[in-house]
Amino acid sequence: MPPSAWWAMSDEKPLKVIIIGGSLAGLMHGVMLKRHGHNVRILDRSLTSARTDQAAGMGTGPQGREFFEQHDLFGEPYSFACPGFQFLDKDANIKRTLNLPLNLTSWNVLYYRLRANFDAYESEFCPNPPSASETDGSTVYDLGKRATNVVYADNLVTVEFEDLIGGGEGSVHADLVIAADGSNSSVRNCLLPSTQRTYSGYVAWRGTVPESEASQETRQFFDKRFNAFTMKRGYIVGYAMPGPDGSLNSGDRLLNYVWYFNCPSSSSDFKENMTDIDGRTHRNTLPAGKMRPDIWSKHKAHAAQVLTAPFLELVNKTSEPFISTVNDCTATQASFFDGRLLLVGEALTLLRPHTGMSFNHAAVSCLLLKKVLTGEIDMVQWEREVLQYRERTMLLAIVVGSYFQFGIFGPSFLLGVIKLGFAIFRQQMEKLSWRLQSRL
């Protein structure tokens, strides 16, 4: 059966869809499929629907905003507009500005908004979730299910899982499986075991400060614009994000920063920084509340030497900093089992965070999948466009990170620009070739 053929049957009866992973990418696809009348069950390994504060500010991007315009029935604002960037010097003077409109929000706001739309989950973020319409499919958010294997036979995908709450193992069959189980995807590991995360060579020190605790001078810097400051061996960015309860009001928000810092994995600094107060060395993220006091004191002393005043204030007022390594991970394909199993979000590609496009990356695959359901494109074209967008966005993030860390004359920046330019040219030639072939 050709990869696109079975989609034509989706108009005849609702599809039985299993989504592995109930974070943003999984929920986004679940909401879209529900709105099109399909029955969706999300298998999520978490033991509770409540999520602790991820301390993660996010941008939505154009496709992310398009998704919400089409599928969000809650109706209240979920982000606030930011007109662009401003670049500071050591004396906190604005060196230059870049008008590039953004919409800023947070992981928590997006998660609870998507849950409200998916299965009417009530939270302080969305206390009155919208009711399902008569044309919506059924939804289940199934907690404590860790996918262990996927098998394809007789035009059905079987998902095998471990029950982390009730104990034992189980399996479920589906017409369509969407693997949205993140950068450590168990599904991707089953299908593409050679695809592994690789360390980029630098880490991100992160933290948030309540806007109400910052000085008036610092609040003015972060009130409207996305701020950036560069220094030797790294750079730091900062911006406002919704408050702990999702409030978008000035004074209720959080001021969020991300400080990128070059640190080879073989260095003593790397091991020291990633070893927590209990003596455990973390591979990818040292969680908030686990940083050793001596490490944080050392980092604040360094901050006093190199940072401009608004960022230095945020660092000094951070109560629970944490560190994440910046990694790369890219799957070679997105569609499997005749188009019945799809990799999306970070299960497909782990983007470096410099462009803030991870949510938008998931939205692109979701909106393209909607076009498959409506017959505008087939699954072959879905995979082509998803992988092309992924490549451009991945390379752009590397270019942006290299520019801020090493400048326009840095070898990694120049090489990144060449790779990005070549990729854009090649993709345009591929699209031209596809159009010519479709006319024959």
Side-chain angles (χ1 to χ4, degrees):
M1 179 180 290
S4 60
W6 71 276
W7 290 101
M9 301 187 300
S10 65
D11 289 336
E12 301 174 8
K13 65 176 183 177
L15 296 173
K16 183 179 180 181
V17 182
I18 295 296
I19 296 178
I20 302 170
S23 189
L24 304 186
L27 282 167
M28 193 182 307
H29 286 78
V31 170
M32 184 276 292
L33 288 160
K34 165 193 172 179
R35 297 274 185 254
H36 281 77
H38 302 295
N39 301 321
V40 185
R41 178 183 177 186
I42 290 179
L43 304 180
D44 190 77
R45 65 182 300 165
S46 300
L47 303 182
T48 174
S49 287
R51 297 292 188 266
T52 56
D53 184 10
Q54 298 288 315
M58 300 187 72
T60 55
Q63 283 80 12
R65 293 192 294 273
E66 182 181 350
F67 169 85
F68 275 109
E69 289 169 2
Q70 294 181 10
H71 301 296
D72 177 31
L73 300 184
F74 188 71
E76 297 295 326
Y78 60 90
S79 66
F80 53 89
C82 170
F85 296 77
Q86 60 187 19
F87 300 87
L88 308 181
D89 65 15
K90 186 66 166 63
D91 297 320
N93 298 311
I94 299 173
K95 296 193 297 184
R96 63 185 185 278
T97 60
L98 175 63
N99 293 323
L100 183 65
L102 305 167
N103 281 76
L104 300 177
T105 184
S106 68
W107 189 96
N108 275 10
V109 167
L110 294 177
Y111 168 77
Y112 287 109
R113 178 64 60 92
L114 290 169
R115 280 298 303 268
N117 281 283
F118 179 70
D119 63 341
Y121 182 75
E122 295 183 20
S123 67
E124 63 177 332
F125 293 81
C126 300
N128 299 299
S131 301
S133 71
E134 293 183 358
T135 58
D136 283 349
S138 65
T139 59
V140 176
Y141 195 94
D142 200 351
L143 293 165
K145 303 299 187 295
R146 185 179 70 85
T148 56
N149 195 23
V150 287
V151 180
Y152 182 48
D154 300 325
N155 293 327
L156 287 175
V157 182
T158 300
V159 179
E160 299 172 357
F161 60 84
E162 177 186 4
D163 188 339
L164 303 177
I165 296 177
E169 299 176 343
S171 64
V172 62
H173 306 293
D175 300 307
L176 171 66
V177 171
I178 295 177
D181 50 341
S183 58
N184 292 318
S185 170
S186 61
V187 177
R188 187 192 64 232
N189 290 339
C190 290
L191 300 170
L192 301 169
S194 63
T195 302
Q196 300 293 326
R197 294 166 64 130
T198 58
Y199 178 53
S200 68
Y202 54 97
V203 301
W205 293 70
R206 308 186 64 143
T208 59
V209 174
E211 191 174 23
S212 59
E213 295 182 8
S215 67
Q216 187 61 37
E217 293 79 10
T218 293
R219 289 175 61 174
Q220 288 177 350
F221 275 102
F222 294 97
D223 183 42
K224 298 295 184 182
R225 284 188 175 267
F226 192 105
N227 290 264
F229 174 72
T230 61
M231 73 215 75
K232 187 177 180 180
R233 294 183 63 197
Y235 77 104
I236 188 169
V237 295
Y239 49 93
M241 59 182 268
D245 61 352
S247 174
L248 305 178
N249 298 324
S250 180
D252 296 335
R253 302 174 299 181
L254 295 171
L255 301 183
N256 173 64
Y257 67 87
V258 185
W259 185 354
Y260 298 102
F261 198 87
N262 282 271
C263 190
S265 59
S266 59
S267 68
S268 59
D269 282 347
F270 182 87
K271 184 175 181 180
E272 287 183 0
N273 293 340
M274 298 300 291
T275 300
D276 65 23
I277 54 177
D278 301 315
R280 177 188 173 191
T281 300
H282 297 262
R283 183 176 60 178
N284 296 312
T285 299
L286 188 145
K290 288 292 186 178
M291 186 174 295
R292 289 159 44 196
D294 60 313
I295 294 297
W296 184 231
S297 295
K298 180 180 176 181
H299 195 68
K300 288 198 295 184
H302 178 66
Q305 298 290 323
V306 300
L307 290 186
T308 187
F311 282 110
L312 179 59
E313 180 180 343
L314 294 189
V315 169
N316 285 333
K317 290 183 176 179
T318 300
S319 60
E320 291 194 334
F322 65 101
I323 308 174
S324 296
T325 58
V326 178
N327 300 306
D328 298 311
C329 186
T330 304
T332 54
Q333 65 187 91
S335 176
F336 302 81
F337 303 160
D338 292 337
R340 292 183 183 271
L341 188 151
L342 310 177
L343 293 182
V344 302
E346 292 187 347
L348 175 64
T349 301
L350 179 59
L351 297 172
R352 298 189 189 186
H354 307 289
T355 54
M357 296 299 281
S358 61
F359 185 77
N360 202 70
H361 176 235
V364 167
S365 67
C366 181
L367 295 175
L368 287 171
L369 185 59
K370 176 186 174 183
K371 290 186 175 182
V372 175
L373 292 170
T374 57
E376 298 175 61
I377 63 175
D378 61 18
M379 282 304 305
V380 173
Q381 189 172 350
W382 176 87
E383 184 175 37
R384 284 173 178 170
E385 295 198 26
V386 165
L387 293 181
Q388 283 197 342
Y389 178 83
R390 180 273 303 275
E391 183 183 25
R392 294 194 306 272
T393 308
M394 178 183 67
L395 291 174
L396 177 61
I398 293 174
V399 167
V400 171
S402 297
Y403 168 74
F404 280 115
Q405 292 177 89
F406 307 111
I408 60 173
F409 299 111
S412 59
F413 172 76
L414 296 173
L415 180 60
V417 169
I418 293 171
K419 287 183 176 180
L420 177 60
F422 178 76
I424 293 173
F425 175 78
R426 175 175 45 75
Q427 289 183 10
Q428 292 301 316
M429 293 300 99
E430 289 173 351
K431 288 181 178 180
L432 178 61
S433 175
W434 298 335
R435 290 171 185 161
L436 291 174
Q437 291 177 23
S438 66
R439 295 177 182 176
L440 297 178

